[in-house]
Amino acid sequence: MDIFNQLTPEAMAEAMTKRMEQLLANGSDDVTRLRKELEKTPDDAEMWFELGLAYNQAGLQYEDMAVRLAELQYDMEHEGEPLPESGEEVTLHVNVTAVRPLYEESLKAFDKVAELEPDYYGVACQKGIVYGNMHDLENAEACYLQALKDDDEDFTAAYYLSIVYGDMGKADLAEEYARLAEKLND
């Protein structure tokens, strides 16, 4: 039996809140491990790259948990009430700006990789992903374009660029880069 099934909604909300605070304060366990490793080998570009990935992942974990917590709090506040009628929307308010420091640490780690090894593959694309997670579409676009300039066969950059252009309302460019991503993926 899953231990979480035994928790009251209030206890689950408290546990989720504590975990979110831990993520903001220290990042994930991977972040902690990689930080310790980098104390021993501060010029290891690969380790910095992994740290950038770990911070980004911690940010995504935080956001996912924030949504789940908001849903849980909504359920607790509306216990016993009927669900909204078909077509009626429920809006959950989640403070996604709270996660920004994790994404900023991710960007710093990727900048360190570029400083140590300017030609390290994948940095521009990963920075684009982080900027996308931050909803900074202009910087995400610039990073993906740089990734494609560095490697004109970078399927991932083309794919994410199509999503960014879609989010920007640039349907023609979104379709163009979606076609390119499909072609590169063959």
Side-chain angles (χ1 to χ4, degrees):
M1 179 177 248
D2 188 5
I3 193 164
F4 289 109
N5 292 333
Q6 298 174 8
L7 293 177
T8 65
E10 294 79 12
M12 185 162 318
E14 184 179 334
M16 292 170 84
T17 300
K18 283 183 181 179
R19 178 63 183 143
M20 290 167 63
E21 289 169 356
Q22 289 173 340
L23 283 169
L24 288 178
N26 305 312
S28 64
D29 292 341
D30 283 341
V31 167
T32 302
R33 177 184 58 78
L34 290 163
R35 281 261 177 231
K36 287 180 183 176
E37 289 293 323
L38 281 165
E39 288 175 9
K40 300 174 201 165
T41 57
D43 294 331
D44 186 336
E46 184 176 344
M47 196 73 65
W48 280 103
F49 189 83
E50 293 295 323
L51 181 63
L53 295 174
Y55 268 118
N56 185 52
Q57 187 61 37
L60 293 173
Q61 288 172 357
Y62 179 95
E63 285 192 49
D64 179 59
M65 201 162 288
V67 169
R68 290 178 25 217
L69 179 59
E71 290 170 347
L72 178 63
Q73 290 170 333
Y74 177 87
D75 289 344
M76 289 176 3
E77 291 171 12
H78 296 87
E79 186 177 347
E81 290 181 23
L83 291 173
E85 304 236 353
S86 178
E88 189 177 333
E89 273 188 42
V90 173
T91 303
L92 299 175
H93 298 283
V94 177
N95 181 4
V96 293
T97 57
V99 73
R100 190 172 185 88
L102 292 170
Y103 291 136
E104 288 172 350
E105 288 299 320
S106 179
L107 293 170
K108 287 178 191 175
F110 290 130
D111 286 344
K112 183 67 175 179
V113 173
E115 175 188 317
L116 293 168
E117 288 186 36
D119 295 329
Y120 197 97
Y121 186 78
V123 172
C125 189
Q126 289 302 320
K127 285 180 71 171
I129 291 169
V130 175
Y131 280 120
N133 291 341
M134 295 171 72
H135 307 285
D136 183 343
L137 302 180
E138 289 78 20
N139 276 321
E141 173 191 27
C143 289
Y144 294 135
L145 289 171
Q146 182 62 50
L148 284 168
K149 182 179 174 186
D150 294 343
D151 176 2
D152 63 358
E153 295 183 2
D154 189 338
F155 154 78
T156 305
Y159 172 77
Y160 284 120
L161 188 55
S162 73
I163 293 172
V164 165
Y165 282 137
D167 290 346
M168 294 172 117
K170 298 178 178 181
D172 291 345
L173 286 171
E175 288 178 31
E176 176 185 335
Y177 282 95
R179 283 191 302 273
L180 176 61
E182 187 176 317
K183 179 182 169 190
L184 293 173
N185 196 32
D186 286 336

